[in-house]
Amino acid sequence: MPTLHAGTRVFDVQGVVLDKDGTLVDLNQAWGPRTVSWINLLVRTVNGPPHLAQAIFSLIGYNAKQLQAAADGPFISANESKLVTLAAGVLYQQHDMPWVHAEEQAWATIRAAYGEPLTATDILPLGDVTGTVRKLRQAGIAVAIATADSRDTTEQSLALLDIQHDVDLVMCGDDELPQKPDAEVFSWIAGRLGCAPERLLMVGDTVTDMMTGRNGGAAGTVAIVPDGLPTSDNLRLHADAILSSIDEITIADQTVSHRR
C-alpha cells in the first residue's frame, strides 16, 4: 500500500479525498469578485440601503474590501444553497421582505453573478496541483474530489487545471448525495473506490473538511493553508498536519519540503 508523507505524519492509504476551492485553487481569486457582484446586485435589485450589503457580507463571512474570506466563516465551506439562505435571511429580517420573495431574489441574483463560465484568470492553482495529482495516480493512489461547489463549475475548474481525466471520483454540492461534514461522505466515496474509509486521507482547507475526515473514519486529515494566510486555532485542533500546498504531500521516501 502506498505511503504518503504530510509534514511529519505518515499515512498508508489507497486514496486521497481533496476539497477544491481553497485546497486546489485560490478561493478568493475564483469567487471573490463574483460574490461582491452578487451581493451588490441583490441589494440593488431589492432597493436596499447600503448597510444591507454589509450585513450580508458579515453573515456569510466575506470581507468585500479585502476580497478575503473569514477563516472559520460560512463562505469557505457552504454551498450555493446555504449562501442563498443566509442572504435571504438578511432580507427577511432587515429589509422586511416576505421569505419567499427574499429567497427568490437571492437565487436569481446569485445565478446571474455566478453563471458566467470560469476562465483561466479565475483559476489560480495553489502549488503544483496538476503534477501532484498525476504523481498520486501514478503511484496507484485513487484521487477523489469532495466539494461544496456545483458540478458545473467543478468540472470547469478541473478542466482548467487539466486534471479532469486524472480524478477517479467527484462529489459536488448540488449532487443528491451526503454533504460535508456528514460521515456518509466518506462511506460513499470509499464504496465507489472499493476501499475502506480508513484507507482514505482527507485534504482540505476548512474545519468542515477536517470534520468530514474525522467523522468518516479517515486515515488522517491534512489542512492546506497557503503561505501568508493565518491558521485558525480551530483548524489546528482538527488537522493532523498543516501544509502550504498539496505538492508538499510526497510518496514513499521522497523528501518533504516546507514543513510547518
Side-chain angles (χ1 to χ4, degrees):
M1 185 178 297
T3 299
L4 296 185
H5 295 257
T8 59
R9 299 297 301 270
V10 177
F11 304 98
D12 292 324
V13 296
Q14 292 176 257
V16 174
V17 181
L18 302 170
D19 172 55
K20 184 174 69 69
D21 294 331
T23 301
L24 303 183
V25 300
D26 188 290
L27 170 70
N28 300 296
Q29 177 83 7
W31 299 110
R34 293 177 188 235
T35 299
V36 173
S37 296
W38 166 44
I39 301 303
N40 288 336
L41 175 60
L42 174 58
V43 172
R44 288 197 307 271
T45 299
V46 302
N47 296 314
H51 70 79
L52 197 63
Q54 184 52 48
I56 298 173
F57 282 123
S58 178
L59 187 59
I60 68 173
Y62 199 80
N63 187 316
K65 293 182 179 179
Q66 298 180 1
L67 294 180
Q68 183 68 50
D72 292 323
F75 185 76
I76 61 173
S77 58
N79 60 22
E80 287 183 15
S81 179
K82 292 177 180 177
L83 293 177
V84 163
T85 297
L86 291 173
V90 174
L91 299 185
Y92 171 73
Q93 289 190 329
Q94 299 190 29
H95 198 52
D96 296 325
M97 286 191 71
W99 174 253
V100 65
H101 294 152
E103 194 174 32
E104 180 181 61
Q105 292 300 330
W107 268 120
T109 51
I110 198 172
R111 285 169 176 155
Y114 284 14
E116 290 296 319
L118 294 171
T119 68
T121 303
D122 299 314
I123 301 301
L124 177 62
L126 297 176
D128 183 12
V129 172
T130 304
T132 301
V133 168
R134 290 177 179 170
K135 286 178 183 178
L136 290 170
R137 288 293 305 279
Q138 289 167 4
I141 297 171
V143 177
I145 303 291
T147 176
D149 204 356
S150 69
R151 179 157 295 275
D152 181 46
T153 52
T154 296
E155 290 177 350
Q156 291 177 45
S157 299
L158 297 182
L160 288 166
L161 289 168
D162 195 25
I163 58 172
Q164 70 273 34
H165 302 303
D166 301 298
V167 173
D168 297 280
L169 185 65
V170 179
M171 172 185 274
C172 301
D174 56 354
D175 291 340
E176 293 185 4
L177 294 168
Q179 296 295 314
K180 298 184 293 188
D182 193 321
E184 292 301 313
V185 168
F186 253 62
S187 296
W188 187 85
I189 292 174
R192 291 291 298 272
L193 294 179
C195 66
E198 58 267 25
R199 292 300 181 223
L200 296 174
L201 180 67
M202 182 70 218
V203 182
D205 67 312
T206 68
V207 173
T208 297
D209 294 323
M210 303 300 101
M211 290 178 62
T212 301
R214 291 190 181 277
N215 291 344
T221 55
V222 176
I224 302 300
V225 181
D227 289 334
L229 293 183
T231 306
S232 75
D233 290 339
N234 283 331
L235 193 60
R236 290 186 185 278
L237 180 65
H238 290 88
D240 293 319
I242 298 178
L243 309 176
S244 60
S245 67
I246 69 165
D247 55 28
E248 293 183 17
I249 298 174
T250 57
I251 304 165
D253 60 352
Q254 296 178 23
T255 302
V256 179
S257 62
H258 301 105
R259 293 181 179 177
R260 287 178 180 254

